[in-house]
Amino acid sequence: MDSSEPMEELDLKSVSMKKKEEKFRNCQERKRANRGEERKRRREKYKEERQNGALPKNIVRDQQLQRLMEAQGTSLKVCIDLQYGHLMTEKELNHLSNQLKRVYSSNKAAEQPFHLYFTNLKREGPIYATCCQKIDGFDRFLVETVEESVLSLFEAERLAYLSPDATEYLTELCEDVVYVIGGLVDDSVQSKVTLSFSERSNIRTYKLPIPIYMDRAAQGSFKQILTINQIFDILLCYWETKDWKRALAQGVPLKTGFITKP
């Protein structure tokens, strides 16, 4: 009787492991299928746009890169503060690299791109290694990448740190202010990480004005902690439109349950 118990435990573990492996394979197959469908949709969309007079991709890309180069030193400065690599798991680092890729893509596609910085990006650190591994051409991004902190680049008085734990709402973007987004993907939601750093460093902190311009729908998570690229996209849209309702409607996910006020 006793000798059979270890065998039963092994059998249960083996079955559980096989189920996990099968679930993982199915998930990967769905992702591959979805990527294929997405590529097909993009090709069809591009074909339709070209038929309607859109510019060829190479010309569009050249124009985007020209705007990015012109933004260096002339446009509003936005920094992604990448000092938090030691707080993230491998999974969170992978998510971070994907969000940084989205940030760069949004800035590149913008008519009025920001002067974008990736600060505290240590060449020997885990964030840089993960980004180089996961993102083709990461080291060729038209972004000002520096190993120094924002405090080494700018005076604390010029900085405004976006933090979900701040008490003041961001109401405008000013050209003489440098805006900082914390480069932290935190699935466990560690409390007040960016706020604590900002308070120690005498940096002003602000949070997005979601409750000012948005109401709660009947259901949703109602979480105001957004991803790095969502925050960036909101700032970018507001910079171009000067319309918080439009910017928040574009950047705040529907699943949060927030809808713009009438």
Side-chain angles (χ1 to χ4, degrees):
M1 184 70 176
D2 292 339
S3 61
S4 65
E5 289 180 358
M7 291 297 296
E8 290 176 359
E9 290 180 7
L10 287 173
D11 288 342
L12 288 173
K13 287 181 180 179
S14 178
V15 170
S16 176
M17 184 63 70
K18 287 180 179 179
K19 285 183 177 179
K20 287 181 179 179
E21 290 175 352
E22 184 178 356
K23 184 178 179 181
F24 177 76
R25 284 196 301 271
N26 291 338
C27 181
Q28 293 299 105
E29 288 174 3
R30 285 196 299 273
K31 285 182 178 180
R32 282 194 291 270
N34 289 339
R35 283 197 293 267
E37 288 297 320
E38 180 61 27
R39 284 194 294 270
K40 183 179 178 181
R41 283 194 294 269
R42 286 200 298 266
R43 285 195 298 268
E44 291 173 351
K45 182 181 178 182
Y46 174 68
K47 183 178 179 180
E48 182 180 348
E49 289 173 346
R50 287 287 291 128
Q51 289 173 346
N52 292 329
L55 293 171
K57 286 183 179 180
N58 62 321
I59 294 179
V60 172
R61 181 178 180 276
D62 289 343
Q63 291 177 344
Q64 290 174 339
L65 295 178
Q66 182 64 32
R67 287 196 295 267
L68 285 178
M69 289 187 287
E70 291 173 353
Q72 301 288 313
T74 62
S75 188
L76 187 79
K77 292 178 171 60
V78 175
C79 302
I80 311 298
D81 180 13
L82 300 172
Q83 65 169 292
Y84 306 106
H86 63 289
L87 298 176
M88 288 181 276
T89 64
E90 182 179 352
K91 179 182 177 182
E92 289 167 340
L93 287 170
N94 289 335
H95 289 167
L96 173 66
S97 69
N98 185 53
Q99 292 180 28
L100 293 179
K101 180 181 178 181
R102 289 172 180 265
V103 163
Y104 179 71
S105 295
S106 292
N107 204 43
K108 186 173 72 170
E111 290 295 324
Q112 300 178 47
F114 292 139
H115 182 172
L116 180 59
Y117 291 76
F118 289 167
T119 63
N120 273 297
L121 184 60
K122 309 295 184 185
R123 293 281 173 157
E124 302 300 324
I127 293 177
Y128 184 79
T130 302
C131 287
C132 288
Q133 179 185 3
K134 298 292 182 180
I135 306 172
D136 291 337
F138 175 74
D139 56 349
R140 298 191 300 275
F141 278 9
L142 281 179
V143 175
E144 193 147 346
T145 58
V146 295
E147 296 196 353
E148 293 79 18
S149 73
V150 289
L151 290 168
S152 298
L153 299 174
F154 309 102
E155 296 178 354
E157 294 77 16
R158 286 194 64 193
L159 300 173
Y161 213 114
L162 277 293
S163 171
D165 301 303
T167 56
E168 291 188 52
Y169 290 112
L170 185 67
T171 57
E172 60 180 346
L173 297 179
C174 303
E175 291 187 13
D176 59 343
V177 176
V178 179
Y179 295 90
V180 187
I181 301 171
L184 174 63
V185 174
D186 180 16
D187 293 337
S188 61
V189 191
Q190 300 176 60
S191 178
K192 300 182 178 180
V193 175
T194 54
L195 181 66
S196 297
F197 166 73
S198 300
E199 289 178 340
R200 291 195 308 270
S201 306
N202 295 315
I203 300 173
R204 293 169 292 170
T205 57
Y206 298 93
K207 57 185 175 182
L208 294 171
I210 295 174
I212 297 176
Y213 296 97
M214 305 190 87
D215 285 326
R216 294 189 175 204
Q219 59 183 11
S221 66
F222 306 117
K223 292 181 179 179
Q224 299 184 39
I225 301 176
L226 305 181
T227 64
I228 299 163
N229 55 290
Q230 287 166 351
I231 297 169
F232 185 85
D233 286 349
I234 289 169
L235 296 183
L236 196 58
C237 183
Y238 176 76
W239 180 243
E240 292 185 338
T241 65
K242 303 299 184 288
D243 184 339
W244 277 118
K245 283 187 178 181
R246 181 175 171 183
L248 292 168
Q250 176 179 299
V252 177
L254 291 174
K255 66 181 179 181
T256 63
F258 288 106
I259 55 175
T260 52
K261 292 182 178 181

